[in-house]
Amino acid sequence: MSEDVFDKIAIIGIGLLGSSIAHAANAYGGAAKVALWDASDDVRHRAARVVHGAVCDTADAAIADADCVILCTPVGALGEVTAAIGQNLKPGAILTDVGSVKAKAASDMAAHCPDQVHLIPGHPIAGTEKSGPEAGFASLFQDAWHILTPLPDQDAAYGEAVERLTLFWKGLGARVETMDAARHDRVLAITSHLPHLIAYNIVATAYDMESVEQGEVVKYSAGGFRDFTRIAASDPTMWRDVFLTNKDAVLETLGRFSEDLAALQRAIRWGDGEMLMREFTRARGIREAIIDAGLDTAEADFGRRQLDPNSEN
Ligand code: NAP
């Protein structure tokens, strides 16, 4: 367990991310005290049963004296949450978030963040398709990237705050990188946001075909489709906010994707097997690079092991 970086952290929004940070701080250290708050009465009650830390009745009680406040709500709520708590943040405290989009998150929070508070937006590249306080687990951030997008042109005290926050996330097991917010949003548009859009779209198309094919889309669903349904089971509010707040980068990436898809469509129509082989072989190389980087395993048939009666899991 690492030495505590902060005396007290406050987590606002107790879903998958918020509860995982609380579990991780309990398991690996980083904060002597953890206080949490969520806008939903139901979530607070459920969280009190499963999450490590003090679940508070009000946001102000949670943030009182906190050295670091981590906003774990959907991106669309970050501005209103900062407006509600901003004036009561401790001078010198760090305000950060885990939102999947960074430029809009930063401007929404900055609009309500007092000058004496260090605003350091962040995004852990770690998650699952599950949501809610029961979904969290301590090891979520182990070996995952955590991208911080510090504001430009800040003073030395701000630099020290970035170092402390970096130390905190490293303590939870993350590999920390700093990046410009606009670059983050362009990179994540292709590596995360577009894949989710495609998954939602494939599942929607299959759902529409379901009535035509009388249950066969579900009954004979192959591995590829099942993997898309896992991604498409992600929280609708979170993903609505991601697409509304990273609109330009997603639309730009979607344009490129549509052109490439049209090229594949053309190759199939004209029987251009050479082109299909070239593209599929290139894609396989990227998969191998991801496995070599330790970001996934080479295990086949993801998700099906639990269905094997001979499996111990
Ligand atoms: P989640 O499980 O749905 O949790 C979000 C929680 O925030 C919910 O309990 C929600 O309550 C609460 N909330 C909503 N508005 C609020 C407000 N104004 N004040 C206080 N609490 C509020 O979502 P999550 O997966 O943890 O995602 C949280 C953030 O992490 C998002 O910004 C997302 O972009 C980012 N993120 C997610 C992943 C992932 O894989 N899921 C990965 C990296 C980053 P209600 O349910 O009652 O609305």
Side-chain angles (χ1 to χ4, degrees):
M1 186 179 281
S2 64
E3 203 177 307
D4 294 331
V5 179
F6 298 115
D7 183 39
K8 176 181 174 183
I9 60 166
I11 295 166
I12 306 295
I14 325 176
L16 168 70
L17 268 289
S19 62
S20 291
I21 296 170
H23 285 303
N26 178 64
Y28 310 114
K33 283 173 267 172
V34 177
L36 306 101
W37 182 78
D38 193 287
S40 154
D41 292 345
D42 177 50
V43 170
R44 288 201 306 278
H45 285 126
R46 283 158 48 208
R49 288 198 292 270
V50 294
V51 173
H52 296 281
V55 177
C56 301
D57 290 335
T58 65
D60 282 344
I63 66 163
D65 284 328
D67 310 299
C68 177
V69 175
I70 310 174
L71 305 187
C72 301
T73 67
V75 176
L78 293 172
E80 84 182 50
V81 174
T82 311
I85 63 171
Q87 290 313 313
N88 295 326
L89 291 167
K90 184 165 107 173
I94 292 171
L95 176 66
T96 188
D97 73 310
V98 294
S100 305
V101 175
K102 293 279 48 88
K104 182 79 168 83
S107 62
D108 285 1
M109 291 190 289
H112 307 284
C113 184
D115 289 344
Q116 67 275 25
V117 169
H118 303 299
L119 172 61
I120 310 169
H123 176 210
I125 313 295
T128 74
E129 70 280 16
K130 303 270 172 32
S131 39
E134 297 83 3
F137 55 99
S139 61
L140 179 64
F141 311 107
Q142 292 288 317
D143 297 324
W145 288 107
H146 187 87
I147 301 178
L148 294 177
T149 57
L151 308 184
D153 308 324
Q154 302 294 310
D155 58 14
Y158 185 87
E160 281 165 26
V162 173
E163 277 174 28
R164 289 184 81 196
L165 190 58
T166 299
L167 216 56
F168 172 75
W169 280 104
K170 282 187 173 170
L172 303 194
R175 297 184 258 177
V176 182
E177 187 104 337
T178 56
M179 199 183 275
D180 164 61
R183 178 159 166 242
H184 166 280
D185 290 352
R186 281 195 305 274
V187 172
L188 270 291
I190 183 64
T191 60
S192 170
H193 305 169
L194 192 65
H196 276 81
L197 194 68
I198 293 165
Y200 280 125
N201 192 47
I202 285 188
V203 175
T205 304
Y207 183 84
D208 291 342
M209 288 174 67
E210 174 76 329
S211 56
V212 180
E213 306 293 341
Q214 298 178 341
E216 290 181 330
V217 171
V218 168
K219 187 173 170 186
Y220 297 118
S221 69
F225 180 67
R226 272 184 273 174
D227 288 349
F228 277 119
T229 61
R230 182 184 61 77
I231 298 172
S234 300
D235 187 63
T237 308
M238 169 188 158
W239 284 98
R240 176 203 62 195
D241 286 5
V242 166
F243 292 116
L244 295 181
T245 54
N246 199 22
K247 186 172 151 182
D248 293 344
V250 169
L251 290 178
E252 165 70 24
T253 312
L254 190 56
R256 285 282 301 269
F257 173 81
S258 303
E259 285 174 22
D260 293 343
L261 187 63
L264 287 177
Q265 189 178 10
R266 191 179 154 80
I268 294 169
R269 185 179 304 285
W270 294 101
D272 186 351
E274 226 172 87
M275 191 270 197
L276 296 177
M277 276 301 285
R278 199 171 54 242
E279 289 307 310
F280 298 167
T281 306
R282 208 156 60 109
R284 199 175 221 193
I286 290 184
R287 172 72 189 159
E288 282 162 7
I290 287 172
I291 292 165
D292 288 348
L295 297 171
D296 207 342
T297 68
E299 203 175 321
D301 285 344
F302 173 76
R304 239 135 293 143
R305 211 150 44 104
Q306 293 93 320
L307 299 179
D308 179 355
N310 298 319
S311 164
E312 287 176 7
N313 296 316

